[in-house]
Amino acid sequence: ELKVEQNPLFLSMQEGKNYTIYCNYSTTSDRLYWYRQDPGKSLESLFVLLSNGAVKQEGRLMASLDTKARLSTLHITAAVHDLSATYFCVNQFYFGTGTSLTVIP
Amino acid sequence: NAGVTQTPKFQVLKTGQSMTLQCAQDMNHEYMSWYRQDPGMGLRLIHYSVGAGITDQGEVPNGYNVSRSTTEDFPLRLLSAAPSQTSVYFCASSYSADRGYTFGSGTRLTVV
């Protein structure tokens, strides 16, 4: 049983478009983290969400947490090429399989 | 601050050999952990520590040992390397569970 399920696994989107990555989790912990990883590189912490209804924004990325639905979303607004990377959601210490995002000019 | 420093960056081992992957952080973080990253599987927790002298197993601890004698260092020991341990290993540290983790640059290990 997957503890953390992300979808989609692969996402190709045009510059300027909006999209949402979904993360469902099944543990009893409501700590939710989002990380970014560039190819061949380490991971960078993006957001930490600790309570129901938490919303955090940084640039074109916005993350939210619904603990009742055990769902977190990462919303991308007006995508740019620099956002191309793999995004992971993490619940407790369980990682999702990642969403590989490619932004096409 | 150097952050989280992992050594070596690359290593090739023969089946049955042992080795230690080093991890050090200079941020006075209590929480440290080791992950392995395999293609298509995300990262999986091997072992973690919530402070000096305290360690616990994660999802995939078999074949690995850890110790935490100081706050700064958290080495990962492979007891008898197997090809299934070919992976990229990341060490991470955090001030607390309410903060994001800082990851090291990784060690790419190949077991032949």
Side-chain angles (χ1 to χ4, degrees):
Chain A
E1 177 204 347
L2 276 179
K3 306 272 193 220
V4 180
E5 203 164 339
Q6 266 180 259
N7 68 83
L9 298 184
F10 299 94
L11 176 56
S12 180
M13 55 191 297
Q14 284 189 311
E15 276 190 337
K17 299 292 188 183
N18 304 334
Y19 208 83
T20 300
I21 299 170
Y22 296 89
C23 174
N24 287 96
Y25 61 93
S26 61
T27 75
T28 55
S29 168
D30 287 319
R31 288 194 185 94
L32 200 293
Y33 313 85
W34 284 96
Y35 290 88
R36 168 186 171 138
Q37 185 179 35
D38 293 303
K41 303 291 187 182
S42 185
L43 289 87
E44 173 190 358
S45 178
L46 295 175
F47 301 108
V48 179
L49 305 167
L50 301 175
S51 60
N52 188 42
V55 176
K56 295 214 175 156
Q57 182 161 5
E58 180 75 32
R60 299 173 188 274
L61 300 177
M62 183 173 72
S64 66
L65 179 62
D66 179 346
T67 59
K68 292 182 172 54
R70 294 192 174 168
L71 170 69
S72 180
T73 61
L74 181 67
H75 186 72
I76 303 154
T77 301
V80 293
H81 180 68
D82 284 352
L83 291 179
S84 296
T86 298
Y87 293 85
F88 292 99
C89 69
V90 184
N91 173 236
Q92 206 175 18
F93 51 76
Y94 295 102
F95 272 71
T97 49
T99 297
S100 177
L101 170 65
T102 303
V103 180
I104 304 166
Chain B
N1 284 352
V4 179
T5 302
Q6 287 185 239
T7 56
K9 291 194 185 313
F10 301 93
Q11 182 71 50
V12 178
L13 285 181
K14 293 183 179 176
T15 297
Q17 286 184 318
S18 63
M19 81 159 294
T20 299
L21 306 186
Q22 302 291 346
C23 176
Q25 52 90 11
D26 61 357
M27 298 172 284
N28 204 31
H29 285 171
E30 292 293 333
Y31 287 62
M32 295 188 76
S33 54
W34 276 102
Y35 286 89
R36 59 178 288 172
Q37 183 173 28
D38 302 298
M41 298 192 73
L43 280 78
R44 292 179 292 169
L45 182 68
I46 305 171
H47 286 283
Y48 66 98
S49 169
V50 297
I54 306 168
T55 63
D56 208 345
Q57 297 181 349
E59 294 177 274
V60 289
N62 291 342
Y64 308 94
N65 272 357
V66 291
S67 60
R68 185 96 181 270
S69 56
T70 67
T71 300
E72 293 78 20
D73 300 298
F74 191 42
L76 178 72
R77 278 181 287 279
L78 278 72
L79 308 173
S80 177
S84 60
Q85 293 178 304
T86 293
S87 188
V88 180
Y89 291 84
F90 286 100
C91 178
S93 74
S94 178
Y95 180 75
S96 74
D98 291 345
R99 305 273 183 95
Y101 273 77
T102 300
F103 280 77
S105 57
T107 295
R108 187 173 295 272
L109 176 69
T110 303
V111 182
V112 298

